[in-house]
Amino acid sequence: DVKVTQSSRYLVKRTGEKVFLECVQDMDHENMFWYRQDPGLGLRLIYFSYDVKMKEKGDIPEGYSVSREKKERFSLILESASTNQTSMYLCASSLSSKNTEAFFGQGTRLTVV
Amino acid sequence: GQSLEQPSEVTAVEGAIVQINCTYQTSGFYGLSWYQQHDGGAPTFLSYNALDGLEETGRFSSFLSRSDSYGYLLLQELQMKDSASYFCAVKSGAGSYQLTFGKGTKLSVIP
């Protein structure tokens, strides 16, 4: 089974802190995604990556950056956390651009105080 | 940009059939997917349509009309465990691709 692991299930950070959310997949997938999920807004794409060191902006990249130094790991970085970044963050991966199924991690509930 | 529209809530009776519609606007469309998410859980893949027509997987079927930018998920013989949120998602892009989700439809199955 494909496993997508997010480093933390719950996280509380202070406003202005630099926050790292880590995601690791164990199936040699090419594509990785970061979403945030808020009530009534569904899943909104922040950034995605189709290869090591490659990244593309999604629909809401402002206030975020990403890093993909190794194929299996995709990190989401909040340069200076703000209270409006309090959310559930979901990481996903898929085998390749030809593949249709994305596998999700269990999510990180981030609270910025 | 991409946009998807689906109903926010649907209620149906156990054993019945329910259809969840999704309309989308996007450029570089590849296909339409459906995902299920139970409260507190991660989204899980249900189906994918790249071509027009109906795809059936057990009690669930998914339909796509590319010319109408429209699709639906059909759930038959509803069970209580089908109570969850259902998301349509568009695969789009050129070269690399992104997966854009709708806001989700919360399905409540009642006895």
Side-chain angles (χ1 to χ4, degrees):
Chain A
D1 283 351
V2 174
K3 192 168 185 182
V4 180
T5 304
Q6 295 184 227
S7 53
S8 303
R9 194 69 197 267
Y10 300 94
L11 212 52
V12 180
K13 295 292 181 181
R14 295 195 179 276
T15 301
E17 276 194 77
K18 189 169 186 176
V19 181
F20 293 85
L21 302 183
E22 305 286 347
C23 176
V24 177
Q25 48 91 5
D26 65 356
M27 286 300 289
D28 203 35
H29 283 181
E30 292 181 0
N31 298 300
M32 297 188 76
F33 307 83
W34 273 107
Y35 295 88
R36 63 177 284 177
Q37 184 172 23
D38 301 286
L41 297 179
L43 283 75
R44 292 181 291 167
L45 181 64
I46 305 172
Y47 268 96
F48 64 104
S49 168
Y50 54 91
D51 201 352
V52 175
K53 297 190 185 294
M54 305 303 289
K55 59 185 178 183
E56 292 201 25
K57 294 179 180 179
D59 298 316
I60 53 163
E62 296 77 19
Y64 303 95
S65 62
V66 290
S67 172
R68 194 163 181 205
E69 296 296 318
K70 294 184 178 181
K71 193 174 187 179
E72 66 271 19
R73 185 180 298 270
F74 192 35
S75 303
L76 180 69
I77 303 155
L78 288 67
E79 295 292 340
S80 177
S82 63
T83 55
N84 63 14
Q85 292 178 310
T86 292
S87 186
M88 171 67 82
Y89 289 88
L90 290 164
C91 174
S93 73
S94 67
L95 180 60
S96 70
S97 294
K98 297 179 182 178
N99 192 263
T100 60
E101 181 175 358
F103 297 85
F104 281 82
Q106 285 299 309
T108 297
R109 170 76 63 187
L110 173 66
T111 302
V112 182
V113 298
Chain B
Q2 339 284 333
S3 70
L4 297 94
E5 295 289 332
Q6 54 181 126
S8 58
E9 295 183 17
V10 173
T11 300
V13 177
E14 190 176 15
I17 299 173
V18 71
Q19 179 174 313
I20 300 173
N21 298 320
C22 174
T23 57
Y24 59 87
Q25 288 185 322
T26 186
S27 55
F29 177 84
Y30 284 122
L32 186 70
S33 298
W34 289 91
Y35 287 76
Q36 177 191 61
Q37 185 181 31
H38 287 99
D39 285 347
T44 56
F45 174 83
L46 292 176
S47 67
Y48 176 77
N49 295 68
L51 304 175
D52 287 356
L54 192 68
E55 296 279 344
E56 297 182 55
T57 309
R59 294 187 296 114
F60 294 3
S61 303
S62 57
F63 172 83
L64 175 66
S65 169
R66 294 174 68 109
S67 60
D68 295 324
S69 298
Y70 163 75
Y72 66 72
L73 180 69
L74 191 73
L75 296 83
Q76 303 182 73
E77 301 172 16
L78 280 173
Q79 302 176 7
M80 299 300 289
K81 68 178 182 180
D82 296 330
S83 292
S85 292
Y86 293 84
F87 295 87
C88 57
V90 165
K91 179 181 175 182
S92 63
S96 63
Y97 81 93
Q98 67 180 66
L99 193 59
T100 303
F101 284 75
K103 294 181 180 180
T105 299
K106 187 171 178 63
L107 171 65
S108 299
V109 180
I110 58 175

